[in-house]
Amino acid sequence: MEIKKVNTTDQDFNKLVQILDNTLSSFNGGIQSREKAEYHVFNSVSDLTDVFVAYNIGQPVGCVATKHYSQGILEMKRLFVDPMARGGGIATKLINKLESQAHSNGYKKIVVETGKNNSGAIRLYTKMNYQLIDNYPPYNGLSNSVCMSKYL
């Protein structure tokens, strides 16, 4: 497996993000349409900083990106591994790459938001030593959100 740093216009990244968005829609079927619309604005790729795509035998199988949140704090965004490629540690490798890059860039903490129905993501973040925190802006007040953080 190879992880490449790309930009937000990368075709492989955008293909994976489209699959991610479709997957999240199925996770969040019970969420009211108003709240779904609120989440949509938080998932723009235009304000992402570092973007990574994982490849297996030349095929894009996963992605993750970052967004500057505040002084010393980076937000993890758009973590996704294609369902056909899960179980091989790709998400862990993507997070490790993101954390290494964040540390090199002087960040001290990473925050991440996921949906309360996304138990797989919550388990992964917990396994990687992320701790539950109060929902941070812009997710405060959104009942479907679970926020976590990790000091680097």
Side-chain angles (χ1 to χ4, degrees), residues 23-32 36 115-118 144:
T23 302
L24 290 176
S25 288
S26 67
F27 269 129
N28 300 326
I31 299 172
Q32 294 179 351
K36 279 185 185 180
K116 68 180 178 184
N117 297 331
N118 195 346
N144 186 54

Side-chain angles (χ1 to χ4, degrees), residues 76-90:
M76 183 185 329
K77 303 292 286 183
R78 314 309 280 160
L79 176 65
F80 177 71
V81 174
D82 187 298
M84 301 298 280
R86 291 183 182 163
I90 295 169

Side-chain angles (χ1 to χ4, degrees), residues 53-145:
V53 174
Y55 292 86
N56 187 22
I57 313 172
Q59 295 299 309
V61 293
C63 63
V64 70
T66 61
K67 177 181 173 182
H68 174 80
Y69 184 73
S70 66
Q71 181 68 33
I73 301 175
L74 198 62
E75 184 176 18
M76 183 185 329
K77 303 292 286 183
R78 314 309 280 160
L79 176 65
F80 177 71
V81 174
D82 187 298
M84 301 298 280
R86 291 183 182 163
I90 295 169
T92 299
K93 290 174 185 169
L94 283 164
I95 293 172
N96 285 336
K97 180 72 170 176
L98 177 148
E99 290 175 354
S100 175
Q101 181 76 47
H103 187 265
S104 294
N105 290 343
Y107 286 94
K108 305 293 183 212
K109 181 179 178 182
I110 295 178
V111 295
V112 63
E113 181 273 345
T114 192
K116 68 180 178 184
N117 297 331
N118 195 346
S119 58
I122 295 168
R123 274 193 310 274
L124 172 65
Y125 298 139
T126 301
K127 180 182 94 172
M128 297 195 71
N129 298 315
Y130 283 75
Q131 304 293 317
L132 288 171
I133 58 172
D134 290 338
N135 287 5
Y136 56 88
Y139 305 104
N140 47 348
L142 295 177
S143 61
N144 186 54
S145 288

